[in-house]
Amino acid sequence: MQVIPAIDFRDGKVVNLKQGQLNRITTYSDDPVGMADHWVSLGAERLHMVDLDGAFKGRPVNQNAVATIARNHPSLTIQLGGGIRNEATIEAYLNAGVDYLIIGTRAVDEPEFVTTVCREFPGHIIVGLDGLDGMVARNGWEEVTDSTVRSLALAFAADGIEAIVYTDISKDGMMGGINLEATLDLVNSVGVPIIASGGVTDLQDIRDLLTSEQIQEKKGEIPGGIMGVITGRALYEGTLNLKEAIDLCRNRQI
């Protein structure tokens, strides 16, 4: 399991939104590129980036910063979401050095789009499912749909997606602990890797995820498993030490 630092872009800055709300925004840095350098220097091998401007506008906005980070760290794995609504955007980001594109809103609105891009860009597509009380939210979390997270996850699993990023909106940015029950329910329901997101507070959350993963491994109940956990505010607020978290996952001694 990888610990994946998050870099959320808003107006060219690194920010965090509590429960996806723009009126509850905290700015952590004016230098996204420098922040990426910092996380890599501490051992990060994968970054989770979200173009929040793009998510709300429906088109890429911070692509220059993303491309610079990819160019500066060619061995870094980058997964990116926010404003990815068409094939041209996916192709442009792949050419810029992004490894995985996260399809969120359009996956919910047009599930057939996921089928198409998995066929056109095999090995590069992740679906982002953002849930509130088990229901999927869309359009930068501004709208809650009548589709369940589990039903959509099952529908996308057959398309050849690489993973699902599952975010519990009620937990996101709140540093109140991850929704372990909902995350494990998804792991046990869908045979693709799950990347957990939302609510990571400290090293205990990482231990809890590792413990659950190891229990499932022993039972042989891990078709996809928890391949990673995304953390943002906990790193920026200093309640989680990235190097300690990475070492814990590598050693798997909980």
Side-chain angles (χ1 to χ4, degrees):
M1 186 179 82
Q2 287 184 305
V3 180
I4 310 171
I7 296 180
D8 293 357
F9 299 92
R10 176 71 174 172
D11 296 328
K13 301 176 181 179
V14 179
V15 305
N16 181 269
L17 305 183
K18 287 187 176 181
Q19 298 179 321
Q21 300 174 19
L22 280 174
N23 62 347
R24 305 177 73 186
I25 190 170
T26 303
T27 300
Y28 289 107
S29 174
D30 294 330
D31 182 12
V33 175
M35 186 58 66
D37 294 342
H38 175 65
W39 297 135
V40 171
S41 73
L42 293 178
E45 298 177 343
R46 186 178 185 124
L47 290 184
H48 174 78
M49 300 186 192
V50 179
D51 184 350
L52 290 173
D53 299 296
F56 287 102
K57 294 182 179 180
R59 57 178 176 79
V61 176
N62 293 284
Q63 61 267 48
N64 290 338
V66 172
T68 299
I69 292 169
R71 184 169 59 250
N72 289 351
H73 302 284
S75 63
L76 178 70
T77 300
I78 296 174
Q79 58 186 53
L80 172 72
I84 300 169
R85 308 288 168 83
N86 55 59
E87 292 93 327
T89 298
I90 294 173
E91 185 171 15
Y93 273 129
L94 289 175
N95 290 337
V98 174
D99 299 282
Y100 300 102
L101 285 308
I102 304 168
I103 313 300
T105 292
R106 191 163 180 192
V108 176
D109 292 346
E110 302 175 46
E112 64 275 11
F113 177 67
V114 175
T115 305
T116 298
V117 295
C118 281
R119 185 170 57 248
E120 293 186 13
F121 308 101
H124 296 287
I125 303 301
I126 291 174
V127 165
L129 293 178
D130 306 320
L132 186 62
D133 297 325
M135 309 306 289
V136 173
R138 64 178 293 281
N139 197 27
W141 299 353
E142 292 184 318
E143 306 169 31
V144 178
T145 72
D146 57 2
S147 298
T148 68
V149 172
R150 181 189 289 183
S151 65
L152 282 185
L154 287 169
F156 293 131
D159 286 326
I161 58 175
E162 292 301 298
I164 292 173
V165 173
Y166 170 61
T167 304
D168 186 318
I169 296 173
S170 67
K171 296 284 189 177
D172 193 66
M174 302 303 291
M175 292 174 61
I178 201 160
N179 189 334
L180 187 61
E181 181 180 355
T183 301
L184 292 178
D185 179 67
L186 198 58
V187 168
N188 291 326
S189 301
V190 186
V192 298
I194 304 298
I195 300 174
S197 175
V200 171
T201 305
D202 52 31
L203 206 60
Q204 187 58 48
D205 290 309
I206 308 300
R207 289 194 184 98
D208 290 344
L209 286 167
L210 281 173
T211 299
S212 299
E213 184 182 35
Q214 290 178 3
I215 290 173
Q216 287 184 313
E217 285 177 345
K218 289 178 181 178
K219 291 182 177 179
E221 298 175 352
I222 188 162
I226 303 172
M227 68 167 289
V229 56
I230 296 166
T231 175
R233 185 176 288 268
L235 293 179
Y236 294 107
E237 298 284 349
T239 64
L240 178 67
N241 181 288
L242 179 60
K243 189 176 185 304
E244 289 181 357
I246 290 174
D247 287 344
L248 181 67
C249 290
R250 286 177 177 167
N251 296 329
R252 294 174 64 83
Q253 297 296 320
I254 55 178

